[in-house]
Amino acid sequence: MKLHKLYTLILCAIIPACIISCSDDANDWPVDPSYDAPFRSTGFEAKTGSATSIYITYKGVLDASKYVFEFSEGDSLLFNNIVRTVDILADTLTVYSDNKAPTKREYRTLFEDLKGTTRYSVRMKAIDKSNRETGYVQLSFATPAEQVMTWHRFGINDVTIQWDAKRPINKFLYGIDKGEENVYKTRTLTSAEQAAGIATLTGLESGTRYNILLMLDDQNRGSLKGVTLGKAGSSLIEVEETTNINELLTAQVALGNKNLTLSFPLLPNDGIYEIGQINIPDGIESLYFAGSSTEKELPKLFLHAVRLNGVVEDITFSSININARTNATAYFFNVDNAERYFKNVRFLSCEINNISRSLVRLSAAIDVNEVIIDDCIIFNVAVSGYGFYNTGNKNMSLKKFSITNTTMREIGDQVGDIQGVHDMFIMDHVTFCNYTTGLPKFIRWRNAPGGSQLTNNIITGTNNDAVLNSVYGTQYYMDFTSCYKTNEWTWGNYEFTNITEVAMSGEELFVDPRGGDFHIKEGVRFAGANKVGDPRWWE
């Protein structure tokens, strides 16, 4: 009992002492300045930008007054060549992804005026209202190749190049494209050319592939690979407005000239070469029709038909505006004789207009290598039937049919009515649009193709309110996985397998699809932007 009283007295003495001692501030000791800092930002990432810009995302820092970004050029997280420091006040930021917690609130900042093809390191710290700094967060990224070029056109012995004058260059480096063994010459730009943002590089060889670099001193700001017009080693003839093409060809065969390049200069006052029909005589091996113009406008030809009187190895139309004026001849190429045909035909960077029926019809038992259409604008073809491309003989064969980087408007009946043997059928990066023409089926296969590749295309327009089928008759599988359609036209029994439908019409998506302008409208978000359709409409 005495012990119990003793313990009680001891506890009564200890408890008040503890209470008194606890009233002091237990954390009132000096703080090491190196640790007196806010927490650094999280979520510091580089997002998709361009050759000269980058988006950087990051989370907020509690009570931050500003964020400091430092860019180092040419290294990977070494920061031994800091070329740029950017201070951003916290109260000027726009929230990208909001959150109640400031440290989970996401911001996204665009940094511009970077160099293309360059490795950068960037680090960021925040400074709070008490002037305390966070530690750095950092990352490294590489910009892709820059492209200041906005337009170009190859001629027979030259190329005209246009670029954004606000992103200056002062010379071209150019040479015949030999892969990694290129030897470059220098063409210095005049001050007037630099200010205008356009120049013509002359003295090139015809029919030759060149590699051209657009330079600002030692900085590569763009590049161009392409082929000058004409066939290398062919006889070059400049056509005049009054030249009779058929008489000219006959005379050249009599002289023993089998390989010809016909140059069509741009005529003044919107002039047109009134040709009508060309009859290629027997004895011609290759014939190249080249539009010779350093302007954006193409030389114009009234030409409704080309007929053959022998076997021609190659026929090429390049940089020419062809208008058939809906002539009753119907087919532009109508190959119906096994002794009169071509092995290869190409339409490159052309405008093709108003052909009543097919651009190419092959109805003889012949073996053809290629039908190539690239970088063209095609309008009002096959509205009278038979389709854009037509084969009417089950014993014919074609190694490759290809339409690429092309805009097709108001195409009738079908893109292809196809029988015979076709090793490969390709449509890639095509913008296809019908408003006033009803297309009932996209492709009619009468024989199974060796292979088909329909990629990166977009189909739009009302199709004149007609139902559109992907194919017709006997079905062969075609996959439209990387392709898009707008929502104003419907398909019938045969769907476009794996195509992606855009939740808007063509007129909601494009600037002026009825008038032929397929730039994406400003402010419209489209997952296929700069990925699908004719690249000429990309920003």
Side-chain angles (χ1 to χ4, degrees):
M1 188 62 142
K2 291 180 179 180
L3 286 174
H4 178 71
K5 290 181 178 179
L6 178 61
Y7 291 150
T8 301
L9 290 170
I10 293 170
L11 286 172
C12 289
I14 291 173
I15 290 172
C18 291
I19 293 172
I20 293 170
S21 66
C22 289
S23 67
D24 297 331
D25 188 351
N27 293 320
D28 189 18
W29 58 70
V31 177
D32 184 342
S34 63
Y35 291 94
D36 186 19
F39 291 107
R40 71 187 69 195
S41 173
T42 60
F44 190 64
E45 298 179 5
K47 299 296 184 179
T48 301
S50 69
T52 58
S53 65
I54 191 74
Y55 279 101
I56 294 179
T57 62
Y58 48 98
K59 301 293 179 61
V61 172
L62 190 64
D63 292 330
S65 62
K66 69 177 180 179
Y67 297 85
V68 180
F69 295 81
E70 296 176 347
F71 287 80
S72 181
E73 183 182 310
D75 62 43
S76 182
L77 302 179
L78 298 177
F79 296 96
N80 54 15
N81 183 30
I82 294 177
V83 295
R84 184 176 179 185
T85 299
V86 180
D87 291 359
I88 300 178
L89 297 178
D91 58 8
T92 65
L93 289 171
T94 300
V95 175
Y96 182 76
S97 179
D98 205 358
N99 193 289
K100 292 181 179 179
T103 56
K104 294 183 179 180
R105 198 170 292 151
E106 184 176 307
Y107 300 97
R108 177 173 290 194
T109 300
L110 175 64
F111 295 91
E112 298 181 290
D113 298 321
L114 304 178
K115 293 180 180 179
T117 323
T118 302
R119 167 66 59 178
Y120 284 95
S121 297
V122 58
R123 62 187 180 187
M124 183 197 77
K125 64 182 178 181
I127 301 175
D128 71 9
K129 297 174 182 178
S130 300
N131 211 34
R132 297 182 305 163
E133 298 183 1
T134 67
Y136 282 108
V137 287
Q138 60 190 29
L139 58 84
S140 181
F141 65 92
T143 55
E146 190 175 2
Q147 183 58 279
V148 300
M149 184 182 66
T150 58
W151 176 82
H152 75 276
R153 172 154 295 145
F154 276 99
I156 293 174
N157 300 115
D158 55 38
V159 58
T160 300
I161 300 173
Q162 189 172 34
W163 65 93
D164 182 356
K166 295 179 181 178
R167 299 159 67 186
I169 62 173
N170 54 19
K171 62 184 176 182
F172 295 142
L173 298 183
Y174 68 100
I176 296 174
D177 190 2
K178 298 180 180 179
E180 297 181 356
E181 300 179 357
N182 289 339
V183 177
Y184 291 101
K185 298 179 181 179
T186 300
R187 157 71 153 84
T188 302
L189 299 173
T190 67
S191 57
E193 289 171 333
Q194 293 180 49
I198 189 168
T200 298
L201 179 61
T202 59
L204 308 182
E205 299 178 20
S206 66
T208 304
R209 178 173 291 277
Y210 281 87
N211 190 27
I212 304 168
L213 306 178
L214 286 68
M215 306 293 295
L216 177 63
D217 298 326
D218 294 331
Q219 180 186 350
N220 184 354
R221 307 208 70 181
S223 63
L224 170 64
K225 286 188 177 183
V227 182
T228 49
L229 306 189
K231 183 178 177 64
S234 64
S235 299
L236 174 61
I237 302 171
E238 184 168 303
V239 176
E240 297 180 355
E241 185 174 0
T242 57
T243 299
N244 185 311
I245 302 297
N246 293 320
E247 291 179 359
L248 183 151
L249 295 177
T250 300
Q252 290 298 312
V253 170
L255 293 171
N257 294 328
K258 300 180 179 180
N259 300 292
L260 304 175
T261 294
L262 304 186
S263 172
F264 292 82
L266 184 66
L267 294 176
N269 303 318
D270 204 30
I272 300 173
Y273 292 92
E274 299 284 346
I275 298 174
Q277 178 170 314
I278 292 177
N279 300 305
I280 302 177
D282 189 20
I284 296 288
E285 293 183 357
S286 70
L287 184 56
Y288 196 115
F289 298 85
S292 182
S293 170
T294 58
E295 306 293 331
K296 291 188 178 182
E297 185 179 0
L298 299 178
K300 296 178 181 179
L301 277 62
F302 164 52
L303 178 60
H304 61 75
V306 179
R307 298 294 176 257
L308 311 176
N309 291 291
V311 178
V312 182
E313 190 70 25
D314 292 288
I315 302 173
T316 300
F317 291 87
S318 185
S319 299
I320 284 177
N321 182 320
I322 300 169
N323 195 332
R325 298 177 183 166
T326 320
N327 188 274
T329 304
Y331 308 103
F332 190 80
F333 276 107
N334 185 21
V335 180
D336 57 3
N337 188 316
E339 296 181 355
R340 301 176 179 181
Y341 67 98
F342 54 75
K343 291 292 187 70
N344 304 280
V345 66
R346 303 176 184 90
F347 296 88
L348 310 175
S349 303
C350 288
E351 296 176 13
I352 302 169
N353 306 281
N354 303 316
I355 299 173
S356 296
R357 292 186 177 175
S358 306
L359 176 67
V360 176
R361 185 170 192 256
L362 307 176
S363 57
I366 55 177
D367 298 320
V368 179
N369 292 326
E370 292 182 338
V371 175
I372 302 294
I373 299 155
D374 180 63
D375 187 33
C376 291
I377 295 179
I378 301 167
F379 173 72
N380 199 36
V381 175
V383 292
S384 296
Y386 284 78
F388 178 78
Y389 167 64
N390 182 286
T391 58
N393 193 303
K394 65 181 181 180
N395 295 315
M396 63 81 60
S397 69
L398 177 66
K399 291 183 179 179
K400 183 169 76 171
F401 178 90
S402 175
I403 308 176
T404 55
N405 307 311
T406 289
T407 298
M408 304 179 73
R409 298 172 53 219
E410 306 306 338
I411 306 301
D413 205 18
Q414 59 239 328
V415 173
D417 185 347
I418 302 170
Q419 60 180 306
V421 177
H422 283 69
D423 292 349
M424 180 58 69
F425 182 94
I426 297 170
M427 286 187 70
D428 179 63
H429 285 108
V430 172
T431 297
F432 187 94
C433 177
N434 272 14
Y435 277 101
T436 61
T437 306
L439 192 75
K441 66 274 187 189
F442 204 65
I443 299 174
R444 181 174 185 173
W445 293 109
R446 298 175 187 261
N447 299 88
S452 63
Q453 178 183 322
L454 294 102
T455 49
N456 307 305
N457 306 307
I458 185 164
I459 306 171
T460 189
T462 61
N463 199 42
N464 201 29
D465 297 326
V467 171
L468 176 58
N469 290 281
S470 62
V471 287
Y472 177 85
T474 304
Q475 300 310 300
Y476 301 104
Y477 180 79
M478 292 189 301
D479 192 344
F480 293 81
T481 295
S482 61
C483 301
Y484 288 76
K485 69 178 287 290
T486 51
N487 67 2
E488 71 269 55
W489 62 267
T490 57
W491 52 46
N493 295 327
Y494 304 110
E495 298 182 355
F496 288 70
T497 307
N498 296 326
I499 200 169
T500 299
E501 181 170 312
V502 184
M504 64 185 83
S505 69
E507 290 182 297
E508 293 170 323
L509 177 61
F510 300 114
V511 170
D512 182 18
R514 290 181 184 269
D517 186 345
F518 296 94
H519 289 101
I520 305 296
K521 281 185 175 179
E522 186 175 354
V524 172
R525 301 186 68 176
F526 171 45
N530 297 336
K531 296 179 183 177
V532 302
D534 186 346
R536 82 184 68 239
W537 307 114
W538 297 357
E539 296 296 342

